[in-house]
Amino acid sequence: RALLNAAETDSTDFTQLEWISKSHRLLYSGSTYGVIGQGGGAQRGVYLVDADSSARAEIAPAETSPEFVASPDGGHVAMVTPTGLSFYSFEGGRLRRGVLTYPAKGVPFAFTPWGVWTQDSSAFLIAAPVETGTSTIDTLTIWRVPVEGGQAQALITVNNSNPQVIF
């Protein structure tokens, strides 16, 4: 509650909660609700807690509010916002922002792309929107984005009035 800056009268919830593979660490983000039963609140950052030591750290500030996916090897986390993909490395605690950017889509609610890690944790595959001059999500490109440098590689573009990609 303290990390979410929740008021005493606010209700709070975990928006996302995920164990980091091969560790005793937990990633989470949360949201607050000003009035119970009045819809969801804003997602508030990404945090890390060590279950053994209770040590806590902020991985992404509340302003960015990304969705996240921890890598299978437990070394990185991919953070996805409506406009970009970033990687955080648990080894050394460094953040690589904007490794792939794309146009914001979705009206009236922002569309957040989705993706998965490769089995060897060397890259993240993401289905991201393409700039088409409209605010609708009518074209997606599937990208392979290496975690340790290198250029993102466009694998395929899907043109459709309602594209869906399932990994």
Side-chain angles (χ1 to χ4, degrees):
R1 288 182 56 81
L3 288 174
L4 298 175
N5 295 321
E8 186 64 31
T9 57
D10 285 348
S11 179
T12 57
D13 188 15
F14 289 110
T15 308
Q16 255 188 291
L17 186 67
E18 184 175 332
W19 284 104
I20 298 170
S21 181
K22 302 176 186 173
S23 79
H24 294 162
R25 296 175 296 176
L26 182 69
L27 279 173
Y28 68 94
S29 61
S31 61
T32 58
Y33 302 84
V35 178
I36 295 174
Q38 295 297 313
Q43 188 173 338
R44 307 275 190 229
V46 178
Y47 305 95
L48 175 69
V49 65
D50 186 294
D52 294 329
S53 68
S54 297
R56 297 183 301 185
E58 181 181 85
I59 303 300
E63 304 81 57
T64 60
S65 296
E67 293 186 18
F68 58 84
V69 183
S71 64
D73 68 0
H76 295 85
V77 62
M79 293 185 286
V80 183
T81 69
T83 59
L85 168 67
S86 298
F87 291 129
Y88 181 85
S89 170
F90 295 113
E91 183 74 30
R94 66 186 188 282
L95 175 65
R96 284 185 50 221
R97 292 185 188 265
V99 294
L100 180 70
T101 58
Y102 34 81
K105 296 285 185 161
V107 175
F109 303 104
F111 167 78
T112 301
W114 59 95
V116 296
W117 284 94
T118 57
Q119 288 182 331
D120 66 359
S121 300
S122 67
F124 191 75
L125 301 177
I126 185 169
V130 174
E131 183 56 61
T132 58
T134 70
S135 61
T136 60
I137 308 154
D138 50 5
T139 305
L140 294 175
T141 295
I142 299 175
W143 294 88
R144 182 185 185 282
V145 185
V147 71
E148 293 294 340
Q151 293 292 326
Q153 176 186 11
L155 302 177
I156 188 171
T157 297
V158 180
N159 297 305
N160 192 322
S161 61
N162 187 15
Q164 293 185 359
V165 176
I166 298 172
F167 292 104

